[in-house]
Amino acid sequence: MPEDRVTSDETIVRSVQMTASNLLPLPELYVSAESAARLKVEAGDLPSWDLTPRQICDLELLMNGGFHPLKGFLSRADYESVCADMRLADGSLWPMPITLDVSEGFAEKVGPGQDIALRDQEGVILAIMSVSDRWTPDRSREAELVFGADDIAHPAVNYLHHKSGPVYLGGPVTGIQAPVHYDFRGRRNTPNELRAYFRKLGWRRIVAFQTRNPLHRAHQELTFRAAREAQANLLIHPVVGMTKPGDIDHFTRVRCYEAVLDQYPQSTTTLSLLNLAMRMGGPREAVWHGIIRRNHGCTHMIVGRDHAGPGKNSHGKDFYGPYDAQALFAKHQDEIGVEMVDFKQMVYVQEKAQYEPRDEVAEGQTILDISGTELRRRLQEGLEIPDWFSFPAVVEELRKSKPPRAAQGFTVFFTGLSGSGKSTVANALMTKLMEMGGRPVTLLDGDVVRKHLSSELGFSKEHRDINIRRIGYVASEITKNGGIAICAPIAPYAATRAAVREMVEAFGAFLEVHVATSLEECERRDRKGLYKLAREGKIKEFTGISDPYEAPASPELRLETEGSEIDYSAQQVILKLESMGLIRA
């Protein structure tokens, strides 16, 4: 028999097997309504863990079968095997650690053989977990094995080191109820709900399009071509759980998806939302996404260039090669049970007034493109976004949530030693911004915040971090609602300042201003005698004397206040805000 005929027959057999498997109901971890009612009562006496947003996403997909074949959070043996070999201890393909990270204090209260109640952030019991393992992981090793580098420029590695709990618990989960979502409820489908929908419509070949960004005309053409190539129906399956910090919020994105859905044939396309917490893990994440889409009834998946890539590392280079994800997916696609449809880079050809694959454009033809950076610039500056690039309805939704920068909220975050002049410059800046008008201005001075928001806190590193995070939270809310927040704490620790930046940049711009006054000058200015008391040992953990100050490596602005007038320093901040487009010149 000719070799090409054998290959064709094998492809057909594999496709038929995948088509058959995606029709069957999938095991879930939920108990019956009667059992759930009884377990809720019993769980009231168990030790309780309040889940983080990422853990809620993971638990939901564990319980509804999205993470099949997992039956709970990974045991230590499974965790070690997944990190090292992308496989569970029994050999099943699984590329991403799914663990319950907890605090040391909580871990001390529980151990193997004990049940714990898993609650959402409002205290509702979602599940019971039977703890089988408790261990302290080597998070640097996990970062190297899973994400390829122990580099905090990677969002998942940053999460590992700065947000996740230091102790992992593993064990099977008994589902009591799903997390409640009040938004877009008609668009949220469990794996079994999607499988039933596909069976009802007679869909047998379904290609999934994974996205965490709004859809523009190039994406539409890409998905059209992918569906035709796979001879499949199309599932637009965007992630609405946790994506990359700085991404457009999912409320805006879903409105954009719904606005563009009319451009697709209703009989062959559907939209469903996936409450997944992405790790931006590149190649491993692509394999993970494939398994998740198989569980949701798909037979094919579009795998993009640099799929789920986190961007640049701390040396300015991409974490992963552009086609690493496609290569790893192709290597495991039979085991995943989903066929890969290669991403085709679609470009707009001016002479033809249409989108075509980049490698099919004839020499001499004019290619038009707008990068993500250029799109953000046009939104920020209120510039035109041409119809050939995106749909007017999508642009309208983006402009609602991303008005021009001069109309957005922002935060100015001063940091420096005690006595550096932060509060004085911050007050002068506040006055100048209020004089200009247009947006409400709020000053969050370190001493004032200590009095009204953090009066119960001391000056240990833990308490300082809590205080700065509180300031960051308030600033992010002010920024989200279109106001200007001016913060002036000491904020001595770089990691905590980075956490505040992440909170604020989810909603607007963040300007870090290092008031770089020398320690000697700060001591000379010290009217309260605090430095003298610190040097005498009468004040413990005093920044600059008995506790370190980690100066910002690359703030947006560094002020040298020695020999400078306060008005001049405040004016330097105003000029920087103008150059960033945050206030009009």
Side-chain angles (χ1 to χ4, degrees):
M1 184 181 294
E3 183 178 338
D4 59 346
R5 173 63 183 276
V6 173
T7 303
S8 177
D9 288 347
E10 289 175 348
T11 301
I12 292 171
V13 169
R14 185 172 67 241
S15 180
V16 169
Q17 289 172 339
M18 286 192 296
T19 300
S21 65
N22 85 319
L23 299 177
L24 303 174
L26 199 68
E28 296 183 350
L29 303 183
Y30 293 110
V31 295
S32 67
E34 294 79 9
S35 296
R38 175 177 53 81
L39 288 175
K40 266 189 179 181
V41 176
E42 295 176 4
D45 297 325
L46 296 176
S48 290
W49 175 253
D50 292 340
L51 298 160
T52 65
R54 185 163 100 168
Q55 291 168 351
I56 291 174
C57 290
D58 287 350
L59 178 63
E60 180 172 1
L61 288 168
L62 283 170
M63 294 191 297
N64 69 21
F67 283 174
H68 180 73
L70 302 191
K71 294 180 173 59
F73 291 98
L74 298 186
S75 66
R76 184 169 189 174
D78 283 330
Y79 164 80
E80 297 289 355
S81 183
V82 165
C83 288
D85 302 315
M86 291 205 325
R87 295 188 179 277
L88 302 174
D90 67 6
S92 302
L93 180 69
W94 189 266
M96 199 61 62
I98 306 296
T99 51
L100 187 70
D101 56 284
V102 300
S103 65
E104 290 179 334
F106 182 78
E108 289 173 358
K109 302 174 186 176
V110 299
Q114 188 168 3
D115 289 348
I116 60 173
L118 303 180
R119 299 176 182 265
D120 68 12
Q121 294 182 313
E122 294 180 357
V124 177
I125 297 173
L126 303 179
I128 293 175
M129 176 181 172
S130 299
V131 179
S132 63
D133 296 82
R134 181 186 66 193
W135 74 100
T136 301
D138 182 338
R139 287 180 283 187
S140 292
R141 179 175 179 272
E142 179 180 336
E144 289 281 359
L145 290 174
V146 178
F147 303 110
D150 187 20
D151 183 343
I152 61 170
H154 193 299
V157 177
N158 183 61
Y159 188 99
L160 265 179
H161 287 299
H162 298 306
K163 293 186 178 180
S164 67
V167 182
Y168 286 178
L169 301 180
V173 162
T174 301
I176 293 176
Q177 70 177 72
V180 176
H181 301 286
Y182 296 105
D183 59 319
F184 308 112
R185 299 183 76 164
R187 298 287 187 191
R188 295 179 180 269
N189 305 105
T190 68
N192 278 326
E193 286 171 344
L194 271 183
R195 286 175 171 231
Y197 179 78
F198 298 152
R199 286 197 302 271
K200 181 179 179 180
L201 294 186
W203 292 10
R204 298 297 179 261
R205 294 166 63 86
I206 301 98
V207 58
F209 180 54
Q210 146 85 30
T211 181
R212 43 174 255 272
N213 295 306
L215 298 186
H216 302 297
R217 292 191 187 273
H219 301 110
Q220 182 201 40
E221 185 61 31
L222 162 69
T223 52
F224 278 165
R225 286 174 177 257
R228 285 199 299 268
E229 180 180 317
Q231 296 183 323
N233 295 94
L234 175 65
L235 170 65
I236 300 173
H237 208 202
V239 171
V240 295
M242 298 174 67
T243 59
K244 184 180 177 181
D247 280 353
I248 293 172
D249 67 277
H250 83 266
F251 299 100
T252 300
R253 288 190 287 111
V254 175
R255 291 197 301 271
C256 289
Y257 301 139
E258 291 185 329
V260 80
L261 202 59
D262 289 342
Q263 306 294 324
Y264 287 87
Q266 188 174 1
S267 60
T268 61
T269 303
T270 194
L271 167 69
S272 182
L273 310 182
L274 179 64
N275 196 46
L276 174 71
M278 291 182 67
R279 272 59 164 182
M280 307 306 298
R284 280 194 180 222
E285 183 117 357
V287 173
W288 189 39
H289 289 172
I291 295 172
I292 293 167
R293 273 23 184 258
R294 176 199 67 201
N295 290 336
H296 283 79
C298 299
T299 57
H300 297 71
M301 182 176 130
I302 300 169
V303 179
R305 183 183 183 277
D306 193 27
H307 185 98
K312 305 291 185 184
N313 63 20
S314 57
H315 303 293
K317 296 182 180 180
D318 291 334
F319 273 97
Y320 311 114
Y323 303 106
D324 289 354
Q326 292 181 355
L328 191 65
F329 195 105
K331 179 180 177 182
H332 295 286
Q333 100 174 345
D334 288 349
E335 200 171 355
I336 294 169
V338 170
E339 287 189 35
M340 177 175 69
V341 180
D342 292 351
F343 180 93
K344 308 265 191 317
Q345 184 186 2
M346 305 303 297
V347 294
Y348 186 76
V349 182
Q350 187 175 31
E351 288 80 2
K352 294 186 176 182
Q354 66 184 30
Y355 279 89
E356 291 189 351
R358 180 66 180 85
D359 56 5
E360 295 179 14
V361 178
E363 188 175 348
Q365 291 185 324
T366 307
I367 293 174
L368 301 180
D369 188 28
I370 293 179
S371 67
T373 301
E374 174 63 12
L375 174 62
R376 288 189 291 274
R377 185 186 76 83
R378 289 179 182 235
L379 288 170
Q380 288 169 358
E381 298 181 16
L383 301 177
E384 178 194 6
I385 297 171
D387 285 351
W388 62 259
F389 175 76
S390 193
F391 304 96
V394 170
V395 174
E396 182 182 351
E397 290 298 338
L398 291 175
R399 290 200 191 281
K400 287 179 186 176
S401 63
K402 293 289 183 182
R405 238 186 172 191
Q408 292 179 19
F410 63 86
T411 291
V412 180
F413 192 92
F414 290 91
T415 175
L417 294 168
S418 176
S420 61
K422 302 181 303 299
S423 296
T424 309
V425 177
N427 270 290
L429 175 66
M430 178 183 68
T431 302
K432 289 179 180 293
L433 290 173
M434 292 178 71
E435 179 184 3
M436 295 171 68
R439 281 172 284 195
V441 185
T442 303
L443 176 62
L444 300 171
D445 181 73
D447 291 338
V448 175
V449 170
R450 276 276 178 182
K451 178 179 179 181
H452 294 288
L453 285 182
S454 302
S455 59
E456 85 285 8
L457 298 180
F459 290 89
S460 65
K461 183 179 188 307
E462 179 186 5
H463 280 194
R464 292 183 189 199
D465 282 348
I466 292 171
N467 181 53
I468 300 305
R469 287 175 187 273
R470 286 178 182 176
I471 292 173
Y473 171 73
V474 174
S476 72
E477 288 295 305
I478 293 168
T479 300
K480 178 173 70 176
N481 289 286
I484 300 172
I486 302 174
C487 311
I490 294 174
Y493 308 120
T496 314
R497 294 194 301 265
V500 170
R501 176 185 290 273
E502 184 177 317
M503 275 191 273
V504 171
E505 287 185 339
F507 306 110
F510 183 87
L511 171 64
E512 184 178 45
V513 181
H514 177 208
V515 184
T517 310
S518 68
L519 177 62
E520 294 74 19
E521 176 65 13
C522 289
E523 288 196 68
R524 189 186 66 77
R525 296 176 181 177
D526 184 18
R527 291 175 297 176
K528 300 177 183 178
L530 299 178
Y531 280 98
K532 181 175 182 295
L533 293 173
R535 289 198 179 278
E536 292 171 353
K538 296 177 181 178
I539 299 179
K540 306 297 182 184
E541 298 178 302
F542 191 85
T543 301
I545 304 299
S546 52
D547 204 62
Y549 176 77
E550 300 171 0
S554 53
E556 279 78 11
L557 182 63
R558 204 181 303 274
L559 294 178
E560 305 288 347
T561 62
E562 297 175 48
S564 296
E565 294 181 0
I566 295 301
D567 192 62
Y568 173 77
S569 295
Q571 191 62 36
Q572 295 302 107
V573 183
I574 291 288
L575 291 172
K576 184 65 178 179
L577 292 170
E578 284 184 357
S579 71
M580 294 172 69
L582 294 168
I583 58 177
R584 298 196 185 279

